[in-house]
Each structure stands twice: as C-alpha cells, then as structure tokens.
Amino acid sequence: VIESPVSYQKIKKVRQLKNKMFEIVIADTPFYPEGGGQASDSGWFITSNHGAKNEFEIVDIRKAINTIVHLVKHVEFSADEAEYLEQKELSELFGKNSKVTAVIDYTQRQATMRNHTATHLAHKALQVVLGDNVRQAGSLVNSNVLRFDFSHNKAMTQEEIDEVEKIVNYQILKNTLVETHESVPLAKAKEMSAMAMFDEKYDDHVRVLNVPGFSLELCGGTHVSSTG
C-alpha cells in the first residue's frame, strides 16, 4: 500500500452502532465519499490516547446533511464477541478533543482516478463516433473497473467499438495534462459547453475537468494529472 500524506483531524462526533461498528465525523475529511458514480475511498483512522494506538479500518464513507460520515470497524471492539462500549469507554478510546490520523489507501485511490479519467475519455469518444446525441445515463467507477452507461438509438457495431477504443488509446498515448478548474460559476460552465451528468443537481459553482482539445465535463470526482 502506498500511503498518502497523513492528515490529522479533530474528531467531532463518534457513536457505536448495533453491529458494533462506529460512525465517526471529523473536522475536514481527506476521504472521497461515494458520489457521481465513483466509489468511496478506503483507508484507516489511527487514534492515540495515553500512549495506546488503535487502528480503525474504514468500511464506508457516506454523505449526510452538511457532513460526511465514516463507517469504521476495529478488529477487537467490533468483533462479534466484543461488548458494547459505554459512553465513558467510548470517550476514553477516542479521547476528548483528540485528533485522529487519517490515512488513505492511495494505491486504491490512484487506480480509481485512472478509471474515472478514462470514463471521461470514453464518453467523449462515444460522442465522436456515434454523434452528440449520446448522453451519459449512469456509471460505476472504482479501483477495479469502469462501467459507462449511455443512451443511443441502436446497438454499436464492432467497427464502432473498435473506433472508440482507438480514440481513447490515442488520447492516453498523447499524455495530455489534465486541467481542473475549481469553483466555476455554473452559468460560465454551461457557456463553455461542459458536459454534465444526466441526474446530478449542481450548486451555483461547479468543478470542471478539462482534457484540453478533447473533453470538458463537470465533475467532482478524483482524477489523474495526465491522460497517460
């Protein structure tokens, strides 16, 4: 595992669930929660209290109202035979006003980034081959695969599939630097003709991912710095 630079974050809220896992909210999470078709990050929280360290594996990361909740488990405290922790024990384990060390599984993050940028390349390549009527209708991006759903009026031929593959591979071989533009006014992004997800609701300011000369999309996901 290649670990990203660690992030030290203050714990804002902790509770233990009936399945003995824990929900943790921290001040400013470095983890990406599931969204826009992209799977959430994985990694660990490491706590240190009175010289004792505990490692919690992150199982899931969920968006909630105005916050992000991390579902974590501990090899001892989340075991079937473990006793539920009382509030005093919970406070002692995590420590009042203590901080956790947040560590992203960066090997998984990088693989997901590659698949997400490749999804953008595939989207544009499909439009080049099949026409601008092609619209994204869902997707799945994780560290193992990408799946891209799209609307079209008929099945693709093998020749069309081969042409899409050729175009995507050409963009990869060009190794174009990928540009990320933060906090772009939504109206300006529309003027730029940036493509958008079919069912996403966007804020007044959006994030735009640009593969210069090829693809321009609204996207809040994680991406590589160049197409290579």
Side-chain angles (χ1 to χ4, degrees):
V1 173
I2 302 172
E3 296 181 356
S4 67
V6 296
S7 175
Y8 303 97
Q9 297 294 337
K10 182 178 179 181
I11 299 173
K12 297 179 69 176
K13 185 178 180 181
V14 178
R15 70 168 180 162
Q16 189 174 27
L17 306 177
K18 290 182 179 180
N19 62 6
K20 299 177 188 172
M21 293 188 186
F22 301 86
E23 284 186 338
I24 300 179
V25 176
I26 61 177
D28 187 17
T29 183
F31 294 97
Y32 181 87
E34 181 178 356
Q38 180 178 325
S40 61
D41 281 326
S42 64
W44 305 268
F45 281 147
I46 302 172
T47 64
S48 181
N49 196 20
H50 302 298
K53 287 189 176 182
N54 282 286
E55 185 176 295
F56 297 82
E57 179 186 354
I58 294 180
V59 177
D60 194 14
I61 306 168
R62 306 166 179 165
K63 291 180 182 177
I65 299 175
N66 297 323
T67 193
I68 294 173
V69 179
H70 309 78
L71 179 67
V72 307
K73 67 179 180 180
H74 187 277
V75 65
E76 177 184 349
F77 305 121
S78 302
D80 292 339
E81 64 274 12
E83 298 290 334
Y84 290 104
L85 298 180
E86 296 183 1
Q87 189 58 46
K88 181 180 178 181
E89 296 173 309
L90 201 62
S91 298
E92 289 177 352
L93 176 62
F94 291 97
K96 187 176 182 181
N97 297 322
S98 69
K99 291 184 177 181
V100 298
T101 304
V103 183
I104 297 172
D105 182 340
Y106 207 62
T107 299
Q108 183 190 53
R109 162 76 76 87
Q110 286 181 313
T112 302
M113 289 162 63
R114 288 193 292 268
N115 281 335
H116 202 155
T117 304
T119 301
H120 285 224
L121 298 180
H123 189 182
K124 182 61 179 181
L126 284 162
Q127 289 190 334
V128 171
V129 174
L130 302 178
D132 291 339
N133 62 301
V134 168
R135 288 290 177 267
Q136 184 170 351
S139 70
L140 170 67
V141 179
N142 59 35
S143 59
N144 297 314
V145 310
L146 70 87
R147 190 201 75 230
F148 186 79
D149 308 330
F150 65 97
S151 58
H152 188 53
N153 56 13
K154 60 182 178 180
M156 293 179 69
T157 65
Q158 186 59 52
E159 289 76 15
E160 289 170 335
I161 294 171
D162 292 343
E163 184 63 21
V164 168
E165 181 177 343
K166 180 180 177 182
I167 291 171
V168 171
N169 283 333
Y170 176 72
Q171 292 299 323
I172 291 170
L173 290 170
K174 283 182 70 177
N175 198 26
T176 306
L177 292 178
V178 176
E179 299 175 353
T180 303
H181 303 283
E182 306 284 352
S183 195
V184 178
L186 182 58
K188 182 178 179 180
K190 290 180 178 179
E191 288 177 8
M192 296 164 63
S193 299
M195 293 187 288
M197 270 284 287
F198 74 110
D199 63 348
E200 286 285 304
K201 294 181 179 179
Y202 294 100
D203 296 329
D204 292 336
H205 288 76
V206 294
R207 188 163 174 263
V208 177
L209 190 89
N210 181 31
V211 179
F214 187 69
S215 169
L216 187 70
E217 287 196 47
L218 306 188
C219 187
T222 59
H223 289 270
V224 293
S225 58
S226 61
T227 59

